[in-house]
Amino acid sequence: MTAHGDLTIGEAPAGPARVEAPVRALLADLREQKPHFLGFPANLDFDLSEAGFLLSVLINNAGDPGRSDSAGMNAKPFERAVVSWFTALAGGDPEGTYGYVTASGSEGLLFGLHAGRERLPRAPLYASAEAHYSVRKAARLLRMELVTVPCGPDGGMDPDALHAACRARRRRDTLSGRRPRGAVIAATVGTTMRGAVDDLPALRRAAAVAGEVHLHSDAALGGLVAAFSPSRPAWNLRQGADSLSVSGHKLLGCPVPCGVALIPSRLLPTVPTAEYIGAEDHTLGCSRSGLAAVLMWMRLCRLGTRGVRDLVHHCLRTADYAHAALARAGADPERVRDGIVVTFDRPAPGVRTRWHLATQGRRAHLVAMPHVTREAVDALCADIAASPGP
C-alpha cells in the first residue's frame, strides 16, 4: 500500500484538508488494489456510498434484535429483516429461531460454540485439521479441550476419524466411572484454503457415540454457496446444525465486516442482563453496529434472493474458468465440487504480492468472488507462466 503521510494525532485540532487528504489517499489505494484482489474471500463488487448520510448519526443496536432498548438509537427493524431472510434460507423455524447481526463470521462461530459449551460444559470441541484458525482462538477463550480431527481426501472432516476420537473418549469416561461428556463440533462449510464442505449429517452420526452433540456450522463463506449451488450440500439448521454463522462481507459484499449468527431459541444459553439497557441481551457484544445491519439490509434488498442466487452462479462460472486457465498455465489446479476456491502451485513471490494470494505450504489459492474477472484470471496465469517457481 502507498504511504498516507503523517497520521500522527496532535494536540491541536486538524483542519479539513489535513484530515481528508490521507483518507482520500487510502481510498485511491484501495480502489487501485481491487482488480488484483484474488486470494481472499471478500466481495469488492458493491457500492453503498449513497448510505453515507448515515455516518452523521449513531446507530447502536444494543441487546437482542427482537426488543427495542432504552437508548432508542437503533436500527433493529432492519436487523430483524436481515435475520428473517437468513433464517428462511437456513431452514430455521421463523417463530423459534434466534439470530443477530455479528461483527464478523468469527464472532458468529464463537457465539455458536459458546452455546455448545453452555449446553455441554464438559464436552471437548472437535474440529477438522483444515478448520479456520478462529476455532483455536475460540477453544482457548472458552477453555475447551480442542480435538483436531484429520480430513479426508476432499479436505472435509473425516467422519470415521471423528467417530474413533469420540469413542476413545467415551471409553475413558466409562472406565473412570464418569458420565458421557458429549461432543461440540465445529463443522466447516467452505474451508479456508480448499473450500471443502464438512458432511454435517455424517458428522452428527459419527459423534453420537459421545452422547449429546452440539454441532455448529461455520458457513462463513460456503453457506450461501451451498444454498444455491447445483449439488446443495447440507449446511443449515434443517440439515444437522444446532447453530450457524454466515459472513456478510464475503459473498454478499459490504463495506464493513459483518455476519449473522442463528440458533433455535430453545438452545439459547441464559445470560446476565441489566435493567438500564431495557432489553435482554443474548449477543456476545453489548453495543453492536446498527450501521452494519442497515448496510446488509440494503445489499440484500437490492439483490433479492434471486440476485444472491445469480451471484453464486456467477462465482461458480468464474471458478470453472479459473480452473481451466490455471491448468493451461501448468499450475496444477484443484477444486472441490461446486466450490469457488481454486488451489494451485505456489507461484513466485512477486506474483503472490501483486495478486494478493493466500498461501499455505506449497499451494496458493484463488477465491472466485463476484469482482474477480476472467481478464484478471488470464493476467494472473500470464504472470505465473512468465515467472520462475516459488
Side-chain angles (χ1 to χ4, degrees):
M1 297 182 72
T2 57
H4 300 120
D6 182 11
L7 300 180
T8 303
I9 300 171
E11 175 68 22
R18 167 75 168 80
V19 173
E20 185 175 326
V23 176
R24 288 199 174 277
L26 171 63
L27 176 62
D29 187 57
L30 294 173
R31 285 176 171 168
E32 183 181 355
Q33 298 303 321
K34 176 179 173 179
H36 301 97
F37 192 78
L38 303 190
F40 291 88
N43 176 11
L44 306 186
D45 189 21
F46 66 88
D47 185 356
L48 295 174
S49 56
E50 73 271 22
F53 58 85
L54 289 174
L55 299 181
S56 64
V57 294
L58 169 68
I59 314 177
N60 183 0
N61 285 12
D64 289 346
R67 290 183 57 182
S68 188
D69 53 78
S70 298
M73 299 292 290
N74 65 68
K76 290 185 178 181
F78 292 85
E79 184 174 17
R80 290 194 293 270
V82 170
V83 169
S84 177
W85 186 87
F86 275 98
T87 297
L89 190 72
D93 175 4
E95 302 300 325
T97 300
Y98 174 87
Y100 75 97
V101 171
T102 63
S104 66
S106 296
E107 181 187 339
L109 169 73
L110 182 61
F111 172 83
L113 296 183
H114 173 255
R117 178 78 167 81
E118 291 296 295
R119 287 180 66 191
L120 306 170
R122 297 171 53 245
L125 169 59
Y126 298 88
S128 86
E130 296 198 21
H132 193 268
Y133 76 94
S134 60
V135 173
R136 298 193 299 273
K137 292 174 67 174
R140 295 179 69 176
L141 287 168
L142 296 171
R143 297 185 178 275
M144 300 178 74
E145 175 193 0
L146 177 61
V147 180
T148 301
V149 181
C151 294
D154 65 349
M157 191 189 305
D158 184 347
D160 292 336
L162 174 64
H163 178 79
C166 291
R167 184 176 58 190
R169 278 160 176 74
R170 175 68 179 268
R171 185 180 297 117
R172 288 202 295 269
D173 287 344
T174 300
L175 291 175
S176 62
R178 292 184 295 187
R179 293 181 292 104
R181 291 184 287 175
V184 177
I185 303 171
T188 307
V189 181
T191 58
T192 303
M193 282 304 297
R194 299 175 61 185
V197 176
D198 290 345
D199 187 336
L200 271 61
L203 296 183
R204 181 172 285 282
R205 291 192 299 269
V209 66
E212 190 175 358
V213 172
H214 181 97
L215 191 152
H216 179 80
S217 174
D218 178 10
L221 173 62
L224 293 178
V225 178
F228 297 110
S229 67
S231 55
R232 297 289 180 94
W235 71 283
N236 65 29
L237 297 173
R238 188 184 295 138
Q239 297 166 319
D242 294 306
S243 54
L244 179 149
S245 53
V246 182
S247 288
H249 61 284
K250 289 184 176 171
L251 193 116
L252 283 178
C254 200
V256 295
C258 55
V260 168
L262 300 174
I263 190 171
S265 301
R266 59 184 171 78
L267 299 183
L268 268 178
T270 56
V271 293
T273 58
E275 180 182 352
Y276 52 76
I277 193 175
E280 291 187 340
D281 186 6
H282 293 85
T283 70
L284 290 187
C286 296
S287 293
R288 295 182 297 108
S289 173
L291 177 62
V294 175
L295 294 174
M296 283 187 72
W297 176 84
M298 291 177 67
R299 186 74 176 133
L300 284 169
C301 196
R302 181 175 296 170
L303 287 168
T305 303
R306 182 189 307 164
V308 178
R309 182 185 299 110
D310 291 343
L311 274 185
V312 171
H313 292 173
H314 170 76
C315 292
L316 292 172
R317 289 192 297 271
T318 302
D320 281 338
Y321 184 86
H323 186 273
L326 286 162
R328 290 192 297 271
D332 189 25
E334 293 182 355
R335 175 187 172 215
V336 301
R337 182 184 181 188
D338 288 343
I340 63 172
V341 177
V342 183
T343 64
F344 53 96
D345 290 337
R346 183 183 182 120
V351 177
R352 300 198 301 268
T353 300
R354 183 186 182 202
W355 295 103
H356 300 276
L357 298 178
T359 59
Q360 183 170 291
R362 297 184 176 182
R363 302 289 281 177
H365 77 191
L366 175 154
V367 187
M369 288 282 97
H371 69 273
V372 175
T373 64
R374 295 187 175 194
E375 290 76 16
V377 172
D378 289 340
L380 167 66
C381 291
D383 283 353
I384 291 173
S387 65

